[in-house]
Amino acid sequence: MTVRVRIAPSPTGNLHIGTARTAVFNWLFARHHGGKFILRIEDTDLERSRPEYTENILEGLRWLGLNWDEGPFFQSQRLDLYKQAVEKLLEQGLAYRCYTTSEELEALRETQKAKGEAPRYDNRHRNLTPEQEAAFKAEGRNFVIRFKIEDEREIVWHDLVRGKMSWRGSDLGGDMVIARASEAGVGQPLYNFVVVVDDIDMQITHVIRGEDHIANTAKQILLYEALGAKIPEFAHSPLILNMEGRKLSKRDGVTSISEFKKLGFTSEGLVNYMTLLGWSPPDSTQEIFTLEAAAKEFSFERVNKAGAKFDWAKLDWLNSQYIHSTPVDKLTDLLIPYWEEAGFKFDGGRDRPWLEQLVALIGPSLTRLKDAVEQSQLFFTDTVEFSEEATKQLQQEGSAAVLQGILTALENQPQLPEATAQEIIKQVVKAQNVKKGLVMRSLRVALTGDVHGPDLIQSWLLLNQIGLDRSRLSRTITAGS
């Protein structure tokens, strides 16, 4: 048997972290078994589906490296297939036309609520006579198609994550609607039905999804049986929770993959973290690995039943490891879009050598790619603002004099190699008989506006290459005089 799995997002929103994690588990399982990973877009919700969401989903999966083998298939283009399946169930007497009005359904719910009963359809139109159907049609009633569910039926399956699962037909809410009302025959088929028809048609062997779909599984198993198909195996992975133990939602802030990307997470760091959201490798000490490496080890025996708490600190740490191991040229490519979005002015071609020097300087201190905007801002602006600590440093006795000494020494230096920069500092220390710390702190403040920051000498060399060191020294000396 060739393993065939699918990820089936709905284009009613951007690619969610939960959907992406489900895609990761499907991809890992398929690659582990040498199988196929299929992409299906479940766009039957015509009112809420948007092409921009579809593109966001496709772009997000590509960015994460979750390449698919077949698809994307669109449910909106497969309606004839679903309607044929509905007709088949009607012909076999396994489904029927239900003419119950919305008002009648609401009255039924109110009665059940008053009695303290769980809401369920009472199957009142399951055995209509031709004469009763004709009478309802004469009234102008529309119908839905309902699938028959026997209350006494027990539905059992072995879940690859949760073990034996069992549901009774009486707990499924009565006969299930599988197609909406329509004046012209079978209307829009609904989720639980089209999912099964698609899985049969695409020969899906394993359905891997979040535990929030468990309640659908019993209904879908009955549909597989009714359509004469082999039932796939199921694996329901744990939900992603916030740090308070509740399901991660938009209230927690960032939830879509495009938002994580905008915040400066690398695709490798994010997808690495998602593999650990509910799964642990055999070597519990190993935390950094590629998708390909994880696929070799992946199995549902090591997927947890309990919800997976989303840990921002862990994600930041993993992300920083990938940033720090990224070659300077590639890291430069990754940072340029963030600098451009921040409005920094530079020529990506002509300034490339200088940009790579800047990346080599700040790269080791980055946690997220977006951190580069704040950490490199001083290299893209003509002037800097002095922090409170920096202002106090400039008021130190001898500070203005050492800055003047450095500026004078620079007048005879059309270029500034590192050795020359070090020599200038030594000369000023000796000529003015001051401690080296005063010279270094004063120079840092004049160049960067702060007493803390990246390596001073390398920062000076970068600013010198674009002529900002002299202007900042002059401005600082003038402001202090």
Side-chain angles (χ1 to χ4, degrees), residues 120-192:
R120 57 172 283 129
Y121 178 60
D122 58 8
N123 305 341
R124 64 181 64 177
H125 287 180
R126 177 188 280 197
N127 298 305
L128 293 177
T129 66
E131 292 76 20
Q132 288 173 317
E133 279 206 57
F136 285 137
K137 290 179 181 178
E139 292 179 24
R141 293 195 185 198
N142 285 329
F143 62 83
V144 298
I145 307 296
R146 287 187 183 270
F147 173 70
K148 295 179 180 179
I149 297 177
E150 303 303 334
D151 282 354
E152 62 274 12
R153 173 66 193 275
E154 184 180 14
I155 305 100
V156 180
W157 75 93
H158 176 79
D159 193 279
L160 295 178
V161 175
R162 299 170 184 283
K164 182 181 178 180
M165 303 291 292
S166 176
W167 285 67
R168 293 194 60 80
S170 56
D171 296 327
L172 299 179
D175 292 342
M176 170 177 52
V177 178
I178 58 174
R180 290 194 180 96
S182 172
E183 295 180 2
V186 176
Q188 183 77 27
L190 299 188
Y191 169 77
N192 273 314

XYZ file of all heavy atoms in Angstrom, residues 120-192:
596
model
N -30.989 17.746 18.787
C -30.835 16.731 17.755
C -32.073 16.745 16.868
O -33.165 17.098 17.313
C -30.622 15.337 18.333
C -31.717 14.865 19.264
C -31.541 13.401 19.663
N -31.965 12.524 18.576
C -31.231 11.533 18.096
N -30.021 11.313 18.563
N -31.689 10.760 17.129
N -31.879 16.365 15.610
C -33.009 16.266 14.696
C -33.760 14.978 15.003
O -33.158 13.934 15.285
C -32.506 16.267 13.246
C -33.601 16.117 12.225
C -34.637 17.049 12.146
C -33.616 15.026 11.356
C -35.647 16.907 11.214
C -34.628 14.884 10.413
C -35.644 15.821 10.349
O -36.648 15.685 9.422
N -35.092 15.038 14.942
C -35.905 13.885 15.346
C -36.269 12.965 14.178
O -37.119 12.074 14.322
C -37.178 14.355 16.064
C -38.033 15.289 15.201
O -37.705 15.451 13.999
O -39.010 15.847 15.720
N -35.619 13.194 13.025
C -35.775 12.296 11.861
C -37.227 12.225 11.369
O -37.648 11.212 10.789
C -35.267 10.880 12.175
C -33.831 10.865 12.664
O -33.090 11.816 12.461
N -33.416 9.773 13.300
N -37.975 13.277 11.553
C -39.417 13.249 11.286
C -39.767 12.995 9.816
O -40.863 12.531 9.510
C -40.067 14.551 11.753
C -39.590 15.788 11.018
C -40.264 17.053 11.544
N -39.916 17.327 12.936
C -40.340 18.400 13.607
N -41.126 19.294 12.999
N -39.980 18.582 14.854
N -38.858 13.329 8.905
C -39.178 13.141 7.485
C -38.447 11.954 6.864
O -38.356 11.847 5.644
C -38.856 14.413 6.706
C -39.822 15.521 6.950
N -39.715 16.767 6.350
C -40.942 15.580 7.726
C -40.702 17.552 6.756
N -41.458 16.849 7.594
N -37.942 11.054 7.701
C -37.153 9.930 7.185
C -37.998 9.004 6.303
O -37.508 8.453 5.314
C -36.545 9.129 8.329
C -35.767 7.909 7.835
C -35.322 7.014 8.971
N -34.122 7.492 9.642
C -33.376 6.715 10.430
N -33.713 5.452 10.641
N -32.296 7.208 11.017
N -39.273 8.823 6.638
C -40.102 7.844 5.925
C -41.348 8.485 5.320
O -42.470 7.971 5.456
C -40.498 6.710 6.890
C -39.293 5.965 7.418
O -38.481 5.464 6.660
N -39.171 5.906 8.752
N -41.155 9.582 4.632
C -42.286 10.250 3.993
C -42.843 9.394 2.855
O -42.099 8.735 2.114
C -41.852 11.606 3.413
C -41.447 12.699 4.410
C -40.982 13.933 3.650
C -42.581 13.050 5.357
N -44.168 9.423 2.716
C -44.798 8.760 1.574
C -44.727 9.682 0.365
O -44.517 10.899 0.508
C -46.268 8.455 1.876
O -46.972 9.708 2.013
C -46.409 7.628 3.161
N -44.856 9.148 -0.824
C -44.877 10.008 -2.026
C -45.928 11.102 -1.922
O -45.719 12.218 -2.396
C -45.183 9.025 -3.149
C -44.660 7.708 -2.651
C -44.929 7.721 -1.180
N -47.060 10.769 -1.310
C -48.133 11.769 -1.183
C -47.709 12.903 -0.248
O -47.996 14.083 -0.522
C -49.411 11.094 -0.642
C -50.065 10.116 -1.581
C -49.328 8.796 -1.666
O -48.531 8.485 -0.727
O -49.532 8.074 -2.662
N -47.018 12.575 0.847
C -46.548 13.607 1.782
C -45.500 14.504 1.116
O -45.525 15.730 1.277
C -45.959 12.946 3.035
C -47.001 12.311 3.946
C -46.370 11.525 5.078
O -45.399 10.781 4.859
N -46.913 11.670 6.293
N -44.615 13.890 0.362
C -43.617 14.689 -0.351
C -44.284 15.640 -1.328
O -43.903 16.815 -1.440
C -42.630 13.776 -1.095
C -41.535 13.202 -0.228
C -40.285 12.869 -1.025
O -39.740 13.786 -1.674
O -39.853 11.710 -0.996
N -45.277 15.122 -2.051
C -45.977 15.942 -3.034
C -46.664 17.124 -2.348
O -46.689 18.253 -2.880
C -46.999 15.093 -3.795
N -47.215 16.875 -1.167
C -47.897 17.937 -0.431
C -46.910 19.020 0.002
O -47.206 20.228 -0.102
C -48.610 17.352 0.789
N -45.739 18.615 0.484
C -44.727 19.600 0.886
C -44.253 20.418 -0.316
O -44.040 21.634 -0.217
C -43.537 18.896 1.539
C -43.808 18.417 2.949
C -43.381 17.162 3.371
C -44.487 19.229 3.858
C -43.616 16.728 4.665
C -44.725 18.800 5.154
C -44.304 17.534 5.561
N -44.069 19.747 -1.447
C -43.653 20.465 -2.655
C -44.711 21.471 -3.066
O -44.397 22.588 -3.503
C -43.370 19.477 -3.784
C -42.123 18.640 -3.592
C -41.936 17.676 -4.754
C -40.700 16.814 -4.555
N -40.532 15.823 -5.654
N -45.987 21.075 -2.936
C -47.083 21.972 -3.309
C -47.105 23.213 -2.424
O -47.529 24.293 -2.856
C -48.412 21.221 -3.210
N -46.641 23.057 -1.188
C -46.560 24.211 -0.283
C -45.410 25.150 -0.664
O -45.304 26.251 -0.134
C -46.330 23.736 1.161
C -47.503 23.002 1.779
C -47.173 22.535 3.202
O -46.283 23.156 3.827
O -47.783 21.561 3.662
N -44.548 24.680 -1.557
C -43.397 25.493 -1.958
C -42.188 25.316 -1.061
O -41.272 26.144 -1.070
N -42.171 24.225 -0.302
C -41.033 23.996 0.603
C -39.802 23.524 -0.177
O -39.906 22.705 -1.082
C -41.382 22.932 1.647
C -42.445 23.333 2.645
C -42.416 22.364 3.810
N -43.483 22.590 4.775
C -43.480 22.114 6.015
N -42.467 21.364 6.424
N -44.482 22.353 6.834
N -38.631 24.033 0.216
C -37.368 23.480 -0.264
C -36.987 22.300 0.616
O -37.547 22.107 1.697
C -36.256 24.519 -0.228
C -36.392 25.533 -1.350
O -36.889 25.195 -2.427
N -35.959 26.757 -1.098
N -36.032 21.525 0.168
C -35.603 20.384 0.953
C -34.082 20.369 1.100
O -33.364 20.995 0.318
C -36.076 19.062 0.329
C -35.525 18.811 -1.049
C -34.272 18.266 -1.241
C -36.290 19.133 -2.172
C -33.770 18.030 -2.505
C -35.790 18.903 -3.451
C -34.529 18.356 -3.617
N -33.622 19.673 2.135
C -32.214 19.318 2.268
C -32.123 17.813 2.140
O -33.121 17.098 2.267
C -31.619 19.779 3.615
C -31.683 21.289 3.747
C -32.333 19.114 4.789
N -30.909 17.329 1.873
C -30.692 15.885 1.833
C -30.086 15.463 3.159
O -29.073 16.009 3.587
C -29.747 15.484 0.683
C -30.232 16.055 -0.641
C -29.600 13.967 0.617
C -31.563 15.520 -1.098
N -30.723 14.492 3.804
C -30.203 13.968 5.068
C -29.760 12.511 4.897
O -30.391 11.723 4.183
C -31.269 14.045 6.174
C -31.525 15.461 6.690
C -32.467 15.451 7.885
N -32.773 16.790 8.341
C -32.081 17.458 9.260
N -31.029 16.864 9.822
N -32.436 18.667 9.623
N -28.686 12.178 5.568
C -28.133 10.823 5.583
C -28.640 10.119 6.840
O -28.601 10.677 7.939
C -26.610 10.885 5.572
C -25.926 9.570 5.749
C -25.965 8.604 4.743
C -25.242 9.268 6.923
C -25.330 7.381 4.902
C -24.604 8.047 7.083
C -24.654 7.095 6.071
N -29.091 8.880 6.685
C -29.672 8.147 7.803
C -28.601 7.655 8.771
O -27.610 7.039 8.355
C -30.475 6.953 7.289
C -31.703 7.334 6.462
C -32.439 6.102 5.971
C -33.674 6.482 5.149
N -34.388 5.284 4.633
N -28.812 7.943 10.048
C -27.908 7.467 11.108
C -28.744 6.704 12.125
O -29.669 7.262 12.727
C -27.178 8.645 11.792
C -26.290 9.381 10.787
C -26.343 8.136 12.971
C -25.584 10.593 11.357
N -28.442 5.431 12.293
C -29.211 4.610 13.234
C -28.718 4.836 14.660
O -27.515 4.744 14.943
C -29.069 3.131 12.865
C -29.496 2.798 11.437
C -30.938 3.196 11.140
O -31.746 3.266 12.096
O -31.252 3.450 9.966
N -29.619 5.122 15.553
C -29.260 5.441 16.939
C -28.526 4.301 17.638
O -27.625 4.518 18.451
C -30.516 5.794 17.741
C -31.009 7.206 17.462
O -30.309 7.945 16.730
O -32.088 7.564 17.961
N -28.891 3.067 17.325
C -28.309 1.929 18.043
C -26.929 1.535 17.512
O -26.250 0.683 18.102
C -29.238 0.710 17.956
C -29.466 0.198 16.548
C -30.592 0.908 15.804
O -31.056 1.951 16.308
O -30.985 0.405 14.739
N -26.493 2.164 16.436
C -25.206 1.798 15.845
C -24.038 2.293 16.718
O -24.048 3.428 17.213
C -25.100 2.429 14.449
C -23.751 2.280 13.772
C -23.432 0.830 13.447
N -22.026 0.705 13.082
C -21.542 0.906 11.856
N -22.366 1.225 10.868
N -20.258 0.766 11.616
N -23.038 1.443 16.908
C -21.808 1.841 17.578
C -20.705 1.957 16.536
O -20.498 1.036 15.742
C -21.401 0.834 18.646
C -20.171 1.275 19.439
C -19.762 0.277 20.512
O -20.254 -0.866 20.478
O -18.951 0.646 21.383
N -20.019 3.087 16.526
C -18.938 3.323 15.561
C -17.622 3.272 16.319
O -17.391 4.051 17.249
C -19.090 4.685 14.855
C -20.457 4.793 14.191
C -17.983 4.866 13.808
C -21.459 5.588 14.990
N -16.738 2.348 15.932
C -15.468 2.141 16.632
C -14.326 2.251 15.636
O -14.413 1.743 14.516
C -15.430 0.754 17.312
C -14.100 0.547 18.033
C -16.594 0.603 18.286
N -13.259 2.927 16.026
C -12.054 2.937 15.209
C -10.831 3.042 16.113
O -10.935 3.465 17.268
C -12.067 4.081 14.186
C -11.802 5.449 14.725
C -10.606 6.100 14.810
C -12.775 6.372 15.264
N -10.752 7.356 15.353
C -12.080 7.549 15.640
C -14.159 6.317 15.471
C -12.715 8.650 16.200
C -14.797 7.417 16.029
C -14.071 8.555 16.386
N -9.683 2.649 15.566
C -8.426 2.759 16.304
C -7.708 4.008 15.811
O -7.265 4.067 14.657
C -7.545 1.532 16.108
C -6.206 1.654 16.776
N -6.038 1.443 18.139
C -4.980 2.009 16.297
C -4.774 1.649 18.462
N -4.107 1.994 17.369
N -7.592 4.976 16.692
C -6.909 6.223 16.340
C -5.410 6.044 16.584
O -4.998 5.530 17.635
C -7.454 7.373 17.189
C -7.037 8.726 16.665
O -5.887 9.149 16.953
O -7.831 9.366 15.966
N -4.597 6.454 15.612
C -3.149 6.255 15.715
C -2.518 7.055 16.846
O -1.401 6.748 17.272
C -2.483 6.624 14.383
C -2.857 5.733 13.195
C -2.180 6.232 11.927
C -2.488 4.280 13.460
N -3.222 8.075 17.333
C -2.725 8.863 18.458
C -3.435 8.477 19.753
O -2.808 8.313 20.796
C -2.900 10.381 18.191
C -2.483 11.194 19.426
C -2.092 10.809 16.970
N -4.739 8.276 19.686
C -5.549 8.151 20.897
C -6.023 6.735 21.204
O -6.686 6.515 22.212
C -6.764 9.086 20.785
C -6.308 10.500 20.666
C -7.374 11.501 20.317
N -6.710 12.779 20.151
C -6.284 13.543 21.146
N -6.482 13.170 22.382
N -5.667 14.671 20.903
N -5.685 5.788 20.344
C -6.102 4.415 20.601
C -7.556 4.181 20.228
O -8.091 4.798 19.312
N -8.225 3.273 20.958
C -9.602 2.908 20.631
C -10.549 4.077 20.885
O -10.549 4.680 21.940
C -10.043 1.692 21.450
C -11.457 1.232 21.114
C -11.875 0.031 21.953
C -13.313 -0.366 21.635
N -13.751 -1.535 22.445
N -11.382 4.386 19.872
C -12.393 5.431 19.986
C -13.752 4.817 19.677
O -13.862 3.950 18.795
C -12.107 6.563 18.998
C -10.737 7.192 19.146
S -10.563 8.139 20.674
C -11.693 9.508 20.375
N -14.767 5.251 20.400
C -16.096 4.669 20.206
C -17.170 5.750 20.358
O -17.125 6.553 21.302
C -16.328 3.554 21.226
O -17.633 3.041 21.107
N -18.114 5.773 19.409
C -19.253 6.692 19.465
C -20.522 5.900 19.177
O -20.513 4.939 18.406
C -19.118 7.800 18.412
C -18.105 8.842 18.753
C -16.755 8.679 18.834
C -18.350 10.207 19.047
N -16.150 9.850 19.155
C -17.100 10.822 19.287
C -19.501 10.986 19.119
C -16.969 12.161 19.605
C -19.375 12.330 19.435
C -18.118 12.901 19.683
N -21.597 6.332 19.784
C -22.905 5.737 19.484
C -23.639 6.631 18.498
O -23.535 7.861 18.535
C -23.727 5.559 20.749
C -23.159 4.515 21.710
C -24.179 4.142 22.777
N -25.403 3.577 22.194
C -25.524 2.312 21.784
N -24.493 1.484 21.889
N -26.661 1.891 21.285
N -24.431 5.975 17.630
C -25.206 6.738 16.657
C -26.132 7.735 17.314
O -26.390 8.821 16.786
N -26.634 7.403 18.492
C -27.565 8.283 19.195
C -26.918 9.581 19.662
O -27.608 10.527 20.042
C -28.169 7.549 20.398
O -27.142 7.068 21.253
N -25.575 9.620 19.646
C -24.870 10.827 20.087
C -24.510 11.760 18.925
O -23.823 12.760 19.134
C -23.576 10.442 20.818
C -23.842 9.669 22.096
O -24.869 9.946 22.742
O -23.033 8.776 22.435
N -24.960 11.437 17.723
C -24.530 12.193 16.539
C -25.557 13.209 16.062
O -25.409 13.788 14.976
C -24.179 11.227 15.401
C -23.032 10.259 15.704
C -22.773 9.339 14.528
C -21.763 11.021 16.080
N -26.598 13.432 16.827
C -27.511 14.535 16.519
C -28.585 14.228 15.509
O -29.150 15.144 14.898
N -28.895 12.956 15.305
C -29.935 12.602 14.354
C -29.407 12.520 12.938
O -28.208 12.657 12.685
N -30.289 12.283 12.000
C -29.898 12.147 10.594
C -29.188 13.418 10.130
O -29.644 14.536 10.383
C -31.116 11.867 9.725
C -31.709 10.481 9.990
O -30.997 9.641 10.573
O -32.879 10.251 9.630
N -28.091 13.232 9.413
C -27.170 14.330 9.103
C -27.475 14.965 7.746
O -27.669 14.253 6.749
C -25.739 13.781 9.114
C -24.678 14.718 8.589
S -22.996 14.029 8.708
C -23.182 12.446 7.901
N -27.477 16.298 7.715
C -27.642 17.010 6.444
C -26.347 16.873 5.643
O -25.261 17.186 6.136
C -27.948 18.495 6.670
C -28.060 19.231 5.322
C -29.247 18.664 7.452
N -26.450 16.389 4.397
C -25.260 16.259 3.560
C -25.305 17.172 2.341
O -24.304 17.330 1.644
C -25.046 14.797 3.102
C -26.254 14.288 2.324
C -24.737 13.905 4.300
C -26.043 12.891 1.721
N -26.469 17.790 2.087
C -26.561 18.763 0.994
C -27.630 19.794 1.341
O -28.672 19.454 1.912
C -26.884 18.088 -0.327
N -27.360 21.038 0.967
C -28.277 22.130 1.307
C -29.533 22.090 0.430
O -29.629 21.345 -0.535
C -27.571 23.480 1.113
C -26.489 23.771 2.129
C -26.107 25.247 2.065
N -25.069 25.577 3.019
C -23.775 25.628 2.740
N -23.364 25.355 1.507
N -22.886 25.929 3.667
N -30.451 22.977 0.794
C -31.691 23.123 0.045
C -31.422 23.690 -1.337
O -30.484 24.464 -1.538
C -32.654 24.046 0.807
N -32.217 23.290 -2.297
C -32.095 23.810 -3.653
C -33.429 23.639 -4.364
O -34.127 22.641 -4.170
C -31.004 23.066 -4.425
O -31.009 23.450 -5.784
N -33.783 24.623 -5.169
C -35.019 24.525 -5.934
C -34.861 23.581 -7.115
O -35.841 23.094 -7.666
C -35.439 25.911 -6.430
C -35.797 26.869 -5.306
C -36.218 28.226 -5.830
O -36.252 28.388 -7.070
O -36.502 29.122 -5.018
N -33.613 23.324 -7.514
C -33.368 22.486 -8.691
C -32.512 21.279 -8.302
O -31.302 21.270 -8.458
C -32.673 23.290 -9.787
N -33.158 20.280 -7.712
C -32.448 19.055 -7.379
C -31.522 19.209 -6.187
O -31.797 19.966 -5.256
N -30.384 18.503 -6.219
C -29.429 18.506 -5.109
C -28.694 19.840 -5.062
O -28.166 20.306 -6.073
C -28.419 17.357 -5.267
C -27.367 17.416 -4.175
C -29.147 16.015 -5.241
N -28.668 20.458 -3.878
C -27.983 21.736 -3.718
C -26.529 21.556 -3.302
O -25.931 20.509 -3.534
N -25.975 22.579 -2.656
C -24.564 22.573 -2.269
C -24.282 21.477 -1.243
O -24.830 21.483 -0.141
C -24.204 23.937 -1.672
C -22.765 24.100 -1.282
C -21.878 24.351 -2.493
O -22.320 24.876 -3.494
N -20.625 23.956 -2.395
N -23.408 20.508 -1.554
C -23.058 19.476 -0.574
C -22.276 20.093 0.594
O -21.571 21.083 0.419
C -22.186 18.502 -1.374
C -22.476 18.813 -2.811
C -22.773 20.274 -2.854
N -22.371 19.467 1.762
C -21.754 20.017 2.962
C -20.455 19.295 3.327
O -20.130 18.234 2.819
C -22.734 19.956 4.129
C -24.037 20.759 3.943
C -24.830 20.767 5.235
C -23.755 22.181 3.489
N -19.737 19.910 4.265
C -18.364 19.523 4.609
C -18.173 18.032 4.851
O -17.349 17.377 4.204
C -17.902 20.327 5.830
C -16.607 19.810 6.417
C -15.399 20.095 5.798
C -16.600 19.013 7.561
C -14.202 19.600 6.314
C -15.417 18.520 8.082
C -14.225 18.815 7.450
O -13.054 18.318 7.944
N -18.895 17.482 5.832
C -18.650 16.093 6.214
C -18.822 15.130 5.043
O -18.139 14.108 4.970
C -19.586 15.680 7.357
C -19.018 16.027 8.721
O -17.850 15.769 8.988
N -19.821 16.636 9.570
